[in-house]
Amino acid sequence: MNLTKLFLIERLCALLFVALLMTTGAACGSGMTDTRNGDRTVMTKGEKGGPVNYLALGDSTGLGVGARQGGYVARLFERIKELRAGSRLTNMCVSGATTEDVLNEQLGSGVTAQTTLVTLGIGINDVGRGVSVERFARNYEEIIKRVRAKTNAPIVLTNLPDVSLAPVVPVSLRSELASRITLFNEQIEEIAKRYGLLVVDAYQATHELIPQHPEFFSSDGFHPSDTGYEYWANLMWPTVKTAIGE
């Protein structure tokens, strides 16, 4: 890769990361409201049996930065609790999180033997911070190993969406950024195959649809809007539904 282009891409990603951090406060406030009672666990009520103990690991998209009604995690949970009364959500997602943060901060108090479903959406901030593909792969696999050591719950992965098409990304840098995201997604695919995990292909879906749907982005030009998160949840739902045995 041309060194000048690499520098520009890394600088752009750093700027996007700063913009993401500026929205962290609002995102965390929304997350606390969604999780009730001042903690990060939600209990639902209903008449049907077979509750799901859902653990979400990941970054700002799991919190719903850019939207008013939550990210894909909250939207998936709404669907889950309609099918499984008494289901619980533990949302450990943090705005700005990397694979390193999932390892150091989200797994410790998140995953337990009682967990019956795990979703993992992480990696965009690794791209933004210039983490090498090799280090990302090591961290990602270690996350899977640690989850597996505590629970046999199905793990649903979402690969990295094509944020190279985000409005804030200059056209001149999109190709190179997409190439880097592709390298990260290849690692996710390999790890998923090695451990027999379910993968939702967010990259291909966004790559094909985003050019025709600018409304998928929020006003910051980077995070999804409510419409974008709803599409993301709809994309994930068939796989999540299969994972919980529906």
Side-chain angles (χ1 to χ4, degrees):
M1 180 186 296
N2 179 279
L3 292 179
T4 300
K5 286 186 176 181
L6 178 59
F7 172 78
L8 289 173
I9 288 173
E10 291 184 349
R11 182 174 177 81
L12 171 66
C13 288
L15 291 172
L16 292 177
F17 180 70
V18 170
L20 181 150
L21 288 179
M22 291 175 66
T23 61
T24 299
C28 288
S30 174
M32 294 301 288
T33 299
D34 288 343
T35 52
R36 301 175 191 173
N37 300 324
D39 61 19
R40 310 191 73 171
T41 302
V42 177
M43 173 70 83
T44 66
K45 298 179 180 180
E47 297 179 357
K48 292 184 178 180
V52 173
N53 193 352
Y54 173 20
L55 169 66
L57 304 171
D59 54 30
S60 59
T61 56
L63 286 177
V65 172
R68 296 180 179 180
Q69 299 175 2
Y72 69 85
V73 170
R75 295 162 194 268
L76 287 172
F77 186 58
E78 287 298 314
R79 291 162 171 78
I80 290 171
K81 68 183 183 181
E82 287 179 2
L83 294 176
R84 302 291 189 88
S87 291
R88 295 168 58 94
L89 168 63
T90 302
N91 189 350
M92 299 300 294
C93 297
V94 174
S95 188
T98 64
T99 50
E100 196 86 20
D101 295 320
V102 174
L103 286 171
N104 294 334
E105 301 172 13
Q106 297 185 26
L107 290 179
S109 60
V111 62
T112 70
Q114 287 72 46
T115 301
T116 58
L117 170 69
V118 179
T119 61
L120 175 63
I122 197 72
I124 288 298
N125 296 311
D126 292 75
V127 173
R129 292 188 180 187
V131 174
S132 70
V133 175
E134 293 77 16
R135 181 179 172 189
F136 168 77
R138 287 195 301 271
N139 288 347
Y140 202 97
E141 184 164 12
E142 183 62 23
I143 292 169
I144 302 305
K145 287 180 179 179
R146 292 190 191 180
V147 172
R148 276 279 175 264
K150 293 187 177 182
T151 177
N152 290 322
I155 304 172
V156 177
L157 312 177
T158 176
N159 64 8
L160 309 188
D162 189 3
V163 296
S164 71
L165 297 174
V168 296
V169 179
V171 174
S172 60
L173 296 180
R174 289 181 177 177
S175 178
E176 298 290 356
L177 184 56
S179 295
R180 182 160 164 77
I181 293 170
T182 296
L183 291 176
F184 276 58
N185 280 339
E186 287 174 353
Q187 295 301 316
I188 293 174
E189 187 69 30
E190 288 181 12
I191 293 169
K193 288 180 180 178
R194 192 149 60 242
Y195 289 86
L197 308 179
L198 298 166
V199 182
V200 177
D201 191 356
Y203 179 85
Q204 192 60 37
T206 53
H207 179 75
E208 293 175 353
L209 289 179
I210 281 178
Q212 287 78 44
H213 293 277
E215 74 276 12
F216 281 3
F217 285 98
S218 65
S219 60
D220 67 11
F222 185 69
H223 292 96
S225 61
D226 280 291
T227 302
Y229 281 121
E230 187 65 20
Y231 172 77
W232 197 335
N234 286 336
L235 181 68
M236 292 185 68
W237 179 235
T239 303
V240 170
K241 192 175 179 181
T242 297
I244 65 175
E246 290 289 337

